[in-house]
């Protein structure tokens, strides 16, 4: 699970760098699907990741609107501000947390229960899904997207002593 | 890791059902980004998943072209034919396989080494990424995409004896 978070952070950083070559109006342009623009998607990914971890910790989550962060620089800084807390939570993850229950109150007042492990996997899949959307929009802009490849990123050191 | 494969299989099945309401010409229509059409994407996901597992097993992978499977029914049947082998491989996964080395020969004859655990995560991320692309194309067609939500799917049973 930690590996998938590391993968996501690497890919996200590559997308931030990808954005540097694109005029800001293209990054903010409304697009079909997802949350509607490249920058809003990156904002949304960082927001959702941090917010779920805050919820698991029983702390207030992030509720500010994208409009307050509508530039590449602001989204990057917000993401960086969240990262330390997210990273320390992910690094402290252990097996016993997988089935720990999270009690969520629905708008109608009823309660649903999810395992912490499910929430973490939701966060992982959430980012990869939205990055897939960016890859389509990149082609619409006329640029090659960042590769989603997990291979050749040094995610896991192979044990070459055995064969 | 098994959980993410289960998540992917559930979502993929929902996309197959989603496809039932869409005229085949829309499913085959060339689109911007990814591998180019809805059906070719689903074919590609099933192909890549099975092929990597065949490579890990040291067996021949799948090399037939999409053109031989260019209908919803054919893609579903191909996917179903692959599934038993994929599922049994995933279910037999154990910790010691994470760092097992896979030796890959590049076109130039040189060899690269990846951990089996990285390959499996690549397969997981590969599908979620391409499903993200489908979600944009669904909106282009004028339909709501399948939700990518991992919550409320019963992926992990929370341990409600503790609190």
């Amino acid at each position: 699970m930690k590996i998938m978070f590391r993968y996501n952070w690497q890919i996200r950083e590559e997308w931030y760098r990808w954005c540097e070559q694109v005029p800001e109006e293209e990054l903010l342009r409304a697009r079909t699907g997802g949350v509607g623009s490249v920058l809003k998607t990156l904002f949304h990914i960082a927001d959702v990741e941090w917010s779920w971890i805050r919820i698991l910790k029983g702390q207030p989550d992030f509720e500010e609107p994208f409009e307050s962060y509508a530039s590449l620089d602001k989204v990057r800084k917000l993401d960086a501000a969240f990262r330390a807390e997210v990273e320390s939570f992910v690094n402290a993850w252990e097996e016993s947390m997988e089935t720990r229950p999270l009690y969520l109150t629905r708008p109608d007042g009823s309660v649903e229960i999810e395992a912490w492990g499910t929430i973490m996997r939701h966060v992982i899949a959430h980012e990869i899904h939205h990055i897939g959307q960016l890859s389509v929009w990149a082609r619409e802009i006329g640029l090659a997207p960042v590769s989603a490849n997990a291979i050749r990123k040094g995610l896991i050191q192979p044990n070459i002593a055995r064969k």
Side-chain angles (χ1 to χ4, degrees), chain A:
Chain A
M1 213 206 45
K2 293 170 191 177
I3 297 159
M4 293 302 269
F5 272 91
R6 281 214 307 277
Y7 162 81
N8 272 343
W9 295 330
Q10 283 189 35
I11 300 277
R12 203 187 311 166
E13 180 53 33
E14 287 184 54
W15 274 101
Y16 284 134
R17 275 188 235 134
W18 179 95
C19 286
E20 289 169 5
Q21 68 185 311
V22 181
E24 197 146 87
E25 65 188 75
E26 282 295 340
L27 298 178
L28 292 168
R29 192 183 301 281
R31 299 185 187 276
T32 303
V35 297
S37 79
V38 172
L39 265 186
K40 194 170 181 182
T41 299
L42 290 164
F43 168 86
H44 176 65
I45 287 169
D47 170 10
V48 164
E49 182 179 78
W50 189 73
S51 290
W52 273 116
I53 278 159
R54 295 286 290 181
I55 290 167
L56 290 181
K57 292 169 79 174
Q59 289 167 356
D61 64 338
F62 186 75
E63 298 198 338
E64 291 178 53
F66 172 63
E67 288 61 37
S68 313
Y69 296 88
S71 78
L72 176 56
D73 189 53
K74 282 183 187 161
V75 172
R76 272 179 131 156
K77 281 189 177 138
L78 183 73
D79 192 345
F82 289 163
R83 185 65 53 82
E85 189 173 349
V86 172
E87 217 168 326
S88 87
F89 186 86
V90 169
N91 288 337
W93 187 261
E94 47 177 84
E95 191 60 29
S96 69
M97 296 155 96
E98 288 284 355
T99 57
R100 198 177 289 181
L102 173 69
Y103 296 83
L104 292 162
T105 307
R106 296 194 192 92
D108 69 358
S110 63
V111 171
E112 60 181 329
I113 310 174
E114 270 295 351
W116 282 34
T118 298
I119 302 297
M120 294 298 266
R121 279 161 190 83
H122 174 71
V123 170
I124 291 165
H126 179 266
E127 169 156 357
I128 305 171
H129 183 80
H130 281 293
I131 292 288
Q133 297 171 337
L134 294 190
S135 76
V136 169
W137 297 340
R139 292 289 182 195
E140 283 173 8
I141 296 171
L143 292 169
V146 170
S147 165
N149 211 320
I151 297 172
R152 290 179 212 99
K153 287 200 155 52
L155 291 175
I156 303 173
Q157 186 64 37
N159 179 359
I160 53 168
R162 52 187 282 191
K163 197 151 179 180

